[in-house]
Amino acid sequence: MELRVLGCSGGEAEGHRLTGLLVDGVVAIDAGSLTQALTLEEQVGIRQIFITHSHLDHICTLPFYTKNIFGHTDVPVEIHALPETLDALRRHLFNDEIWPDFSVIPSPDNPIIRFSEIEPGRVYEVEGLRVTPVPVNHLVPTVGYLVEDGRSAFAFTSDTAETDRIYAAANAAPDLRLFITECSFPNAQDWLADASKHLTPRKLARELAKLRRDVPVGIYHLTPGDRAVMLPELEALGDPRVRLLEQDARFTW
Ligand SMILES: [Zn+2]
Ligand SMILES: [Zn+2]
């Protein structure tokens, strides 16, 4: 499996792209940076997109992406997400006001993108991968994903406050190579993490006690302006598994 980190920042600025992962060049997870990180050719190569939740930093490049691939692919790209997330995409983004509804263009029978509802806990077999959505704990209905190919696996929690099921799924995955989770705010903003259902380094430490695997833990979703404060706080956790997930990193297992 090849995992490419398109973006892993909790805010956008030069050098800090929003959330997106690409697996084997064909399956994307979240769409915060598809159009900034990928060439047009690479964008056309994507066949499936799994969205974790409706927040803007995870979906914002979908409109420009759909326009880019229009006319360059005959098969609709599947957008997999929870029903609540798809509902938000239809009502607030692809609503013909903010952006055309590309799920019925050029025709309802043969659109450029097709929305596909996912059910937490079910396994989706696509492009030689097994993708399992696992509910996490965020402001809106949100899933993380366990992605496996029979030889290697990684888990991605997406945005979440304290949660259990994705740790159980990761602990049970035989070929786990990487666990990606979030840390959004410094310890001093505990209240903000509570209000927005995110983690601080202190909260993260309690979460990581649930991960009974000796694999690298890639931290993502730092707020760019708070990195200088957060890096020493993450260092102080003293957990040798913890490292920052780096934009443009590639993992091959
Ligand atoms: Zn979010
Ligand atoms: Zn986010």
Side-chain angles (χ1 to χ4, degrees):
M1 185 191 310
E2 188 203 53
L3 167 64
R4 195 171 153 189
V5 179
L6 306 181
C8 51
S9 178
E12 192 172 42
E14 191 185 1
H16 302 271
R17 292 191 215 113
L18 298 172
T19 306
L21 304 174
L22 184 64
V23 185
D24 292 342
V26 287
V27 174
I29 299 180
D30 279 343
S33 47
L34 293 176
T35 50
Q36 296 104 338
L38 297 173
T39 65
L40 286 172
E41 213 174 26
E42 289 169 333
Q43 292 174 42
V44 171
I46 295 173
R47 303 306 333 146
Q48 321 271 339
I49 303 177
F50 288 83
I51 300 290
T52 62
H53 66 300
S54 59
H55 282 163
L56 194 57
D57 55 319
H58 299 251
I59 61 164
C60 58
T61 65
L62 275 180
F64 308 125
Y65 163 77
T66 50
K67 180 157 182 286
N68 283 347
I69 64 169
F70 191 81
H72 296 279
T73 176
D74 296 330
V75 186
V77 174
E78 301 274 345
I79 313 276
H80 307 267
L82 291 171
E84 296 90 340
T85 308
L86 293 179
D87 187 48
L89 288 175
R90 285 195 186 96
R91 280 189 298 132
H92 302 303
L93 199 56
F94 294 101
N95 58 6
D96 290 330
E97 284 185 54
I98 299 295
W99 204 249
D101 181 3
F102 276 100
S103 68
V104 296
I105 298 173
S107 70
D109 291 338
N110 188 34
I112 192 75
I113 53 171
R114 185 170 279 149
F115 294 132
S116 177
E117 287 187 7
I118 55 169
E119 225 178 278
R122 255 190 73 179
V123 179
Y124 293 84
E125 301 206 9
V126 294
E127 314 291 338
L129 301 169
R130 289 161 54 84
V131 182
T132 311
V134 182
V136 294
N137 174 23
H138 195 36
L139 276 187
V140 292
T142 302
V143 288
Y145 290 102
L146 176 68
V147 181
E148 305 169 279
D149 72 353
R151 292 180 305 278
S152 54
F154 73 92
F156 170 55
T157 69
S158 188
D159 296 4
T160 188
E162 292 81 355
T163 190
D164 292 322
R165 283 173 69 174
I166 193 126
Y167 286 92
N171 287 334
D175 308 304
L176 192 74
R177 304 299 178 96
L178 175 68
F179 186 86
I180 302 173
T181 191
E182 73 133 279
C183 194
S184 296
F185 303 116
N187 286 329
Q189 290 178 2
D190 207 62
W191 60 273
L192 183 54
D194 284 339
S196 57
K197 291 206 169 187
H198 284 294
L199 296 175
T200 60
R202 196 178 296 127
K203 291 175 186 294
L204 172 67
R206 290 195 289 267
E207 290 299 284
L208 289 183
K210 301 172 193 169
L211 183 65
R212 297 190 305 272
R213 303 294 292 274
D214 187 17
V215 296
V217 175
I219 305 299
Y220 94 109
H221 212 267
L222 274 71
T223 301
D226 291 329
R227 281 172 71 97
V229 180
M230 292 179 72
L231 293 183
E233 291 182 351
L234 287 166
E235 186 79 20
L237 299 183
D239 186 329
R241 300 173 300 177
V242 168
R243 63 214 57 196
L244 285 190
L245 193 68
E246 300 283 353
Q247 179 173 302
D248 293 320
R250 288 172 194 248
F251 301 87
T252 307
W253 301 296

